Amino acid sequence: MNNNIKKIAVLTSGGDAPGMNAAIRAVVRTGIFYHIEVVGVHLGYDGLIDNEMELLNVRSVANILSRGGTFLKSARSERFRTPEGRSRAFENIKNANIDALVVIGGDGSFTGADIFSQEHDLPVIGIPGTIDNDLYGTDDSIGYDTALNTIVDAVDKIRDTANSHDRLFIVEVMGKDAGFIALRSGVAVGAEAVLVPETHTYIEHLLNKLGRERRKSKSGSIVIVAEGDGYGGAYKVADAVKEKYDHLDIRVSILGHIQRGGNPSAFDRVLASRLGAGAVDALLGGRKGEMIGLVNKELVFTPFEKAVKHHKELNKQLLSLAEILAL
């Protein structure tokens, strides 16, 4: 155990994800278990720059396990992208006698953490908290499972209307650069088609499917579109479909930020708890500059640079399954 670590700071950065509070709670309680002080940083990296920090205790994280969002608040910091901003943040860390940092966030957060750790030789461990689930080095990121459940619940309700009015609903879900949410939710709701950034069939494939004779007998249809599908999102997809099949009654539903909110699922609570506790153990074990993740149900560590730059591929079997079951 690294006896030089007496105080750890924890922050949440980037987009919020259900389960972040559970991860903060695990960091705090694990730190206290090892007789280490834990400081909470408000508003992400901006909080480091502006010295918005407070000492946390067991009571500080009571009753937050089931709450969505992040009670420490989150932000995307432009100032932290500059050497001046990072230097100011490090000065505040030194003045507060903080020995190590835990960052909960996604690829942008870890890019900043990697640079910060190298510039100032500060031990930093990252916890993947993003509903996109696009980070290399973990099977699941905190918030992904909850977001999927939110989408499934919403689309199940939309399908009731689709069937009642013989409508085609084009539902847009989050995923600017990755289709993990779209693909898995599409299988879960029985979508007739799923459009994701990683494939290049896009609109042609969808139009061919809708043009098949047997589609005319279906009472209602659901198409799931990732916001970064490559064609321009749900409204542009709807325009293309309407142009070719003007007899179809088409509606568009953008689920938007509802996907980020809500109480975390049991899976996300357990995942966040394991990763939060594991991050503290990692720092005490001398690890730094890495993201902690869960692969095949085991804790693993991936260097920040690899976690961010390596491409995490969609499950090809799941892609095939989505196609087969959409018949």
Side-chain angles (χ1 to χ4, degrees):
M1 181 179 290
N2 187 350
N3 294 322
N4 293 323
I5 293 181
K6 304 295 184 182
K7 184 185 286 189
I8 294 173
V10 58
L11 63 82
T12 50
S13 173
D16 61 302
M20 280 184 164
N21 279 327
I24 296 168
R25 174 181 179 268
V27 170
V28 172
R29 294 198 169 196
T30 304
I32 292 172
F33 177 83
Y34 290 123
H35 306 290
I36 295 169
E37 290 185 313
V38 181
V39 172
V41 182
H42 294 276
L43 290 170
Y45 290 123
D46 277 346
L48 283 182
I49 296 172
D50 296 328
N51 204 25
E52 295 288 340
M53 297 184 278
E54 67 168 318
L55 188 65
L56 301 177
N57 54 39
V58 172
R59 183 174 294 180
S60 304
V61 294
N63 302 316
I64 68 169
L65 181 66
S66 62
R67 285 167 49 189
T70 162
F71 87 96
L72 289 177
K73 310 298 184 184
S74 187
R76 291 180 170 89
S77 176
E78 289 300 320
R79 289 182 292 164
F80 197 74
R81 295 175 184 269
T82 67
E84 295 79 12
R86 293 191 296 272
S87 293
R88 184 173 174 181
F90 185 65
E91 282 300 315
N92 289 330
I93 282 177
K94 285 197 304 181
N95 291 336
N97 296 315
I98 292 169
D99 305 306
L101 176 65
V102 174
V103 174
I104 306 169
D107 54 359
S109 303
F110 294 161
T111 298
D114 190 26
I115 297 171
F116 190 52
S117 177
Q118 292 184 41
E119 281 182 345
H120 301 287
D121 194 27
L122 179 74
V124 183
I125 292 292
I127 298 176
T130 167
I131 67 170
D132 291 334
N133 198 38
D134 56 349
L135 288 165
Y136 182 87
T138 188
D139 290 337
D140 296 281
S141 58
I142 296 168
Y144 177 55
D145 183 71
T146 305
L148 287 174
N149 289 333
T150 298
I151 293 168
V152 169
D153 182 63
V155 176
D156 283 348
K157 292 177 172 63
I158 290 171
R159 189 179 284 281
D160 290 341
T161 295
N163 290 337
S164 297
H165 295 274
D166 292 336
R167 285 175 179 159
L168 165 64
F169 269 86
I170 298 175
V171 181
E172 184 177 292
V173 300
M174 286 186 170
K176 289 183 179 179
D177 303 307
F180 296 98
I181 291 178
L183 177 57
R184 192 165 290 268
S185 64
V187 172
V189 302
E192 278 66 35
V194 180
L195 278 66
V196 295
E198 290 86 348
T199 61
H200 302 285
T201 51
Y202 296 134
I203 196 66
E204 294 83 4
H205 182 62
L206 174 61
L207 294 176
N208 288 336
K209 292 189 73 171
L210 293 174
R212 294 171 187 165
E213 194 67 28
R214 61 177 176 273
R215 288 288 171 193
K216 295 181 180 179
S217 63
K218 297 205 71 165
S219 59
S221 298
I222 299 290
V223 172
I224 299 292
V225 179
E227 59 183 324
D229 72 297
Y231 195 73
Y235 280 107
K236 288 194 175 182
V237 171
D239 289 342
V241 174
K242 192 67 177 177
E243 183 177 352
K244 186 163 185 177
Y245 304 111
D246 59 3
H247 65 283
L248 292 177
D249 188 2
I250 302 170
R251 296 290 187 276
V252 173
S253 183
I254 310 293
L255 296 189
H257 285 81
I258 189 176
Q259 297 161 84
R260 290 196 183 279
N263 298 337
S265 65
F267 180 89
D268 274 329
R269 297 182 197 192
V270 174
L271 174 65
S273 298
R274 290 190 67 183
L275 297 181
V280 176
D281 286 334
L283 289 170
L284 295 178
R287 307 193 78 103
K288 62 180 180 178
E290 296 176 310
M291 181 194 81
I292 185 173
L294 201 69
V295 175
N296 295 325
K297 300 182 180 180
E298 297 293 333
L299 295 177
V300 300
F301 295 88
T302 305
F304 281 137
E305 184 177 12
K306 188 174 183 180
V308 171
K309 292 186 177 180
H310 274 56
H311 181 67
K312 183 175 180 180
E313 294 185 357
L314 282 182
N315 188 316
K316 293 181 180 179
Q317 292 181 336
L318 204 58
L319 276 170
S320 177
L321 180 65
E323 180 69 21
I324 293 169
L325 298 184
L327 293 175

